């Protein structure tokens, strides 16, 4: 009688192969998810940057460049109706300006502008999408740009999540799931919020505006991954 033929493969061979393959797949999923999340965050960051500075590149209303359907910069005159000084470690100055087509509104200005513009004088206004974005009077200028609070918050959340997922993917092969990248992600969210707010409002050249946060994200993510692997 013939003896049964035994499987010549070593016992547990499939499990030995499946384990590393699963680790590679999990690592790839974390890395791809982290990078995709980060790219989305930077996309929103650039969009916020463009929205804040859009008026600087907009054509003046009534000119040939201001084609129908294009946002344009409208020039109006407003009247100063009140002046305020807010005392503190560093004094701040505000003018209340009334427009013909909209309710009066407070605008922050510098000290020289404040001293020159007394109550009752007319100041030149630049209006974009229905909002005053710049005031000028006798050589003095003051920008009143949008403060992108919500966009900065959303960008910061995506930067933190992207950092955590990417660091987790980079460290997974050696360490498995660790709490450290997610702990550092909290710091990334906190710092990214203020950095995004500053850079979108500062309107520096786009290369600088993108380069600074990208470098910071890489450093923090790499440090987070190294820390996670060091926990092994």
């Amino acid at each position: 009688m013939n003896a049964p033929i035994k499987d010549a493969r070593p016992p547990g061979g499939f499990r030995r192969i499946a384990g590393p393959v699963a680790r590679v797949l999990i690592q790839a999923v974390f890395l791809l998810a982290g990078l995709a999340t980060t790219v989305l965050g930077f996309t929103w960051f650039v969009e916020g940057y463009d929205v804040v500075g859009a008026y600087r590149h907009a054509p003046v209303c009534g000119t040939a460049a201001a084609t129908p359907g294009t946002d344009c910069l409208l020039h109006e005159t407003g009247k100063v109706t009140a002046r305020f000084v807010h005392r503190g470690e560093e004094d701040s100055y505000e003018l209340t300006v009334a427009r013909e087509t909209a309710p009066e509104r407070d605008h922050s200005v510098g000290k020289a502008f404040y001293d020159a513009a007394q109550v009752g004088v007319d100041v030149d206004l630049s209006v974009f999408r229905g909002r005053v974005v710049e005031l000028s009077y006798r050589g003095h200028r003051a920008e009143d740009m949008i403060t992108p609070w919500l966009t900065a918050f959303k960008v910061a959340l995506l930067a933190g999540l992207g950092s955590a997922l990417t660091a987790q993917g980079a460290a997974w092969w050696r360490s498995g799931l660790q709490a450290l990248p997610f702990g550092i992600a909290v710091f990334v969210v906190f710092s990214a919020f203020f950095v995004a707010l500053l850079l979108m409002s500062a309107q520096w050249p786009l290369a600088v505006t993108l380069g600074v946060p990208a470098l910071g994200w890489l450093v923090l993510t790499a440090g987070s991954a190294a820390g996670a692997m060091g926990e092994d």
Side-chain angles (χ1 to χ4, degrees), residues 45-71:
F45 174 71
V46 172
E47 290 176 356
Y49 171 86
D50 289 339
V51 167
V52 172
Y55 82 92
R56 294 184 176 182
H57 313 290
V60 177
C61 297
T63 63
T67 57
T70 301
D71 290 325

Side-chain angles (χ1 to χ4, degrees), residues 134-157:
E134 185 176 287
L135 302 84
S136 59
Y137 178 71
R138 294 186 178 179
H140 302 289
R141 293 175 60 253
E143 289 185 304
D144 192 0
M145 296 185 298
I146 298 170
T147 303
W149 298 102
L150 181 58
T151 301
F153 179 67
K154 292 190 293 185
V155 167
L157 287 179

Side-chain angles (χ1 to χ4, degrees), residues 39 48 62 67 98 111-112 141 154 172 187-189 194 219 229 232:
V39 169
T67 57
K111 186 178 186 306
R141 293 175 60 253
K154 292 190 293 185
W172 185 275
F187 174 74
V188 174
V189 170
F194 291 103
V219 170
M229 288 187 288
D232 189 17

